[in-house]
Amino acid sequence: MRPTNISWQRLRDSQLFWPLLALALIMLFNVFFTPGFYNVEIKDGHLSGFLIDILNRGSILMLLALGMTMVIATGGVDLSVGAVVAISAATATVLINPALAKQLISSEELIKDVTYTPLWLCILTALLAATLCGLWNGFLVSRGKIEPMVATLVLMVAGRGIAQLISNGQIITVYYSPYFFIGNGYLLGLPFPLFIVAFIYFLTWLLARRTAFGMFVESVGINARSSFLSGISAKNIKLIVYTISGFCAGIAGIIYSSNVKSADANNAGLNLELDAILAVVIGGTLMTGGRFSLLASLIGALVIQSTTTTMYALGVPAMAASTIKALVVLIVILLYSDQTKVVLGRLFERERAGT
């Protein structure tokens, strides 16, 4: 009896348990109510199906969740990631063809499969712009002593204006096929954005779990004053995590614009900051900071994307889908409550006592 209780306790306390349970419930729902949800076939040399769509479409949210996880672990929040996605997308696409944002050009010129700036420079400049945005947020929070919600709200509002300035208020459409590969390409039969997510996850995992940085982040989130007395510079830790969040949003912006082959300053990354925060919360990281799990946040992002894909597969209108997604998230959050955990623990113990 006792070893079983200890195992249940360990399982319940694992940060991966609840997001995996939420994902399993959504997948179970699709077994009964979504025909063909688990069908995976090969089309044009790559895997295709709802499951592949979840992984592909969820890549942007997973990238944002990685950066947001460490920000929230310090007790902060980054509301500007959606706007930074727009800035990154606008920067990359404008550099591919600067004339698009300056003048009306002929359709023949518009659809040319060329870039007027080397692709590596387009990507590097977009990432630099996004990273500087993250650095700016980190500076306001760590040095300016501004509340994270207020500090990042500034860029959340101003960021789309910056993106419009970059794109001259136009929707930039690009036709450069090598750029499309970033968001639409396939490698080994799988969407290429998945490999980008895996690479960024590996880098952040190395930083968080193979160096003392992750411990410093959790320490700052649990008690910044004690961390300071222990010799940990909370200012620098916060500056770094916001910079990482901006960098992740920059990569997400490149994938987004590559996937839709355009950059719309008003709609690129719209409301993604809220989904990213929800993904982190579903992953079990407290909004007050402290212990975090990058993998659990990725699963949280998949929970949100699975819900969205399920709604679209069932033909639910987009407006109603948002409401249903909010209800699903609410149910998941309730699963995390201490009251639910106590009730489940009692049910489990009663079941064991009955046997």
Side-chain angles (χ1 to χ4, degrees):
M1 181 69 69
R2 190 173 178 181
T4 306
N5 287 338
I6 293 175
S7 299
W8 163 247
Q9 184 71 31
R10 286 180 178 175
L11 184 65
R12 196 180 60 181
D13 291 343
S14 169
Q15 206 162 351
L16 295 177
F17 175 72
W18 297 102
L20 281 174
L21 177 63
L23 187 60
L25 290 175
I26 295 172
M27 292 296 135
L28 185 63
F29 173 87
N30 285 302
V31 170
F32 299 104
F33 298 102
T34 311
F37 189 84
Y38 290 93
N39 292 345
V40 176
E41 54 187 346
I42 298 178
K43 282 186 178 178
D44 300 326
H46 60 78
L47 297 175
S48 177
F50 285 120
L51 295 178
I52 304 300
D53 283 345
I54 289 173
L55 295 173
N56 192 13
R57 305 296 179 192
S59 59
I60 292 175
L61 186 55
M62 285 191 278
L63 283 169
L64 296 179
L66 285 175
M68 188 71 77
T69 299
M70 285 199 275
V71 169
I72 291 180
T74 62
V77 69
D78 188 352
L79 296 178
S80 69
V81 291
V84 176
V85 166
I87 291 174
S88 173
T91 303
T93 52
V94 162
L95 286 176
I96 288 175
N97 190 348
L100 294 174
K102 293 180 180 176
Q103 59 196 22
L104 291 176
I105 58 178
S106 64
S107 57
E108 292 80 8
E109 182 75 17
L110 177 67
I111 61 174
K112 277 186 177 178
D113 185 6
V114 295
T115 176
Y116 292 87
T117 307
L119 184 58
W120 66 268
L121 188 56
C122 297
I123 295 172
L124 191 64
T125 306
L127 291 180
L128 179 62
T131 305
L132 287 175
C133 290
L135 188 64
W136 167 255
N137 285 331
F139 181 80
L140 290 180
V141 173
S142 63
R143 266 61 180 184
K145 302 294 183 185
I146 301 174
E147 283 296 318
M149 185 173 291
V150 177
T152 56
L153 187 62
V154 173
L155 190 57
M156 177 185 176
V157 176
R160 298 205 175 272
I162 295 172
Q164 286 195 342
L165 286 174
I166 295 171
S167 62
N168 201 22
Q170 299 186 49
I171 298 175
I172 306 296
T173 305
V174 294
Y175 291 87
Y176 185 48
S177 52
Y179 187 68
F180 299 160
F181 183 81
I182 299 173
N184 293 289
Y186 288 85
L187 186 64
L188 303 176
L190 294 171
F192 184 68
L194 273 184
F195 292 91
I196 298 177
V197 172
F199 180 66
I200 298 301
Y201 169 74
F202 179 67
L203 291 181
T204 51
W205 177 83
L206 280 180
L207 179 66
R209 298 306 178 204
R210 285 296 178 265
T211 70
F213 183 75
M215 185 180 64
F216 292 165
V217 169
E218 293 180 346
S219 176
V220 170
I222 293 170
N223 193 321
R225 179 64 180 168
S226 298
S227 301
F228 173 75
L229 296 176
S230 302
I232 300 172
S233 174
K235 289 182 179 179
N236 289 337
I237 295 297
K238 289 181 179 179
L239 187 68
I240 293 171
V241 295
Y242 280 95
T243 305
I244 292 174
S245 179
F247 177 75
C248 290
I251 300 174
I254 292 172
I255 294 176
Y256 177 88
S257 59
S258 169
N259 186 265
V260 300
K261 304 177 182 179
S262 65
D264 182 354
N266 289 319
N267 295 309
L270 189 64
N271 295 329
L272 278 181
E273 59 275 352
L274 302 180
D275 283 349
I277 294 170
L278 283 174
V280 176
V281 172
I282 291 173
T285 303
L286 297 177
M287 291 298 292
T288 52
R291 193 176 66 144
F292 69 92
S293 168
L294 295 171
L295 183 57
S297 295
L298 290 187
I299 298 171
L302 290 177
V303 169
I304 294 175
Q305 187 60 47
S306 299
T307 305
T308 304
T309 303
T310 299
M311 293 300 103
Y312 291 152
L314 292 174
V316 177
M319 295 177 66
S322 299
T323 305
I324 295 173
K325 187 171 72 172
L327 288 174
V328 171
V329 171
L330 177 62
I331 293 171
V332 172
I333 299 302
L334 287 176
L335 281 175
Y336 279 65
S337 67
D338 291 337
Q339 289 83 354
T340 303
K341 292 178 180 177
V342 169
V343 170
L344 289 176
R346 287 176 179 172
L347 286 175
F348 181 79
E349 290 173 1
R350 190 178 300 173
E351 183 70 19
R352 294 297 307 169
T355 57

